[in-house]
Structure formats: structure tokens, C-alpha cells
Amino acid sequence: MSGNNYYFDKAVNIHGGSHNIGMVNHGSEPAAQPVDPALAEAVGELIVLLERLRDHVSPLTAQSIDDSLPALAVGPGAAAPQERHRALMAVAGIAATVGAIGQPVLDAVRAVLELLAV
């Protein structure tokens, strides 16, 4: 089947020469998705609640909350959906174990999950 070329994603072809550097990109990168303002607000509220909850848990649990925070960010550079979901489930689990003081966090996690349609 000589002559049939199928390219998916980027391809680089070098034809002679020496010290070849660089790449011509004849396409554009996918456009960044706009951030849903409701999602940004819900995540912001969740982060504030998590920061308050940190003061009422053990240092080890507070570290688990801190470890989850980067995955909750929205906008450019946001975590992959499965990583964000994992972080939401982690903080929901923490909130569930601390009783009534964790209920606002559970409600905020639920709101974020609804906005993410997960």
C-alpha cells in the first residue's frame, strides 16, 4: 500500500540537510475551555470551607486536605477530571468523618459534583 499515508496528531518528516531543528506546526492547539463562573464560585467556596476545616482536624488529616487542593483548581492547568474527582472524594471522606462541622464541606462538594455533572 505504498503511497497511502494516514496521519493522526502531529507528524515530523525530515528530508535531507543537517542540524535540523524545530518543527512547523500546521495546526492549532485545542482552544482552552472557558471557565464556568458558577463552577469557579463553587470551587472557591469549597476551598474556603476546607481551609476552615483544617483548623479542626489532626495535622495528618490537614495534610491530606492540602494535598487535595491543587487538583480542585479550575481554569488553565486544571487537573484531569479523574484527579479532580479523586480529590473531591477525598475531602468529602474527611468531612464525613468529622461530623457536623464537616457538613458544609459535604454540601459544597456535592454542589461542585453537580456542576461537573459527575
Side-chain angles (χ1 to χ4, degrees):
M1 289 216 148
S2 178
N4 292 331
N5 297 312
Y6 301 96
Y7 298 100
F8 301 97
D9 206 19
K10 294 180 174 43
V12 176
N13 297 303
I14 299 175
H15 302 281
S18 62
H19 305 291
N20 297 306
I21 59 171
M23 180 174 134
V24 176
N25 187 1
H26 293 291
S28 61
E29 295 296 322
Q33 297 293 330
V35 176
D36 177 6
L39 177 60
E41 182 178 339
V43 169
E45 180 179 336
L46 174 59
I47 290 171
V48 167
L49 292 169
L50 286 170
E51 289 171 350
R52 290 181 191 158
L53 183 62
R54 284 183 88 262
D55 297 335
H56 301 282
V57 297
S58 71
L60 190 57
T61 303
Q63 183 61 49
S64 295
I65 291 172
D66 292 343
D67 292 345
S68 297
L69 289 176
L72 300 178
V74 295
Q82 54 272 51
E83 186 178 343
R84 177 182 286 157
H85 187 263
R86 194 171 14 258
L88 287 166
M89 292 298 101
V91 296
I94 291 168
T97 63
V98 296
I101 196 163
Q103 189 59 48
V105 172
L106 284 172
D107 295 339
V109 167
R110 190 173 299 114
V112 170
L113 287 171
E114 288 175 5
L115 289 169
L116 292 171
V118 178

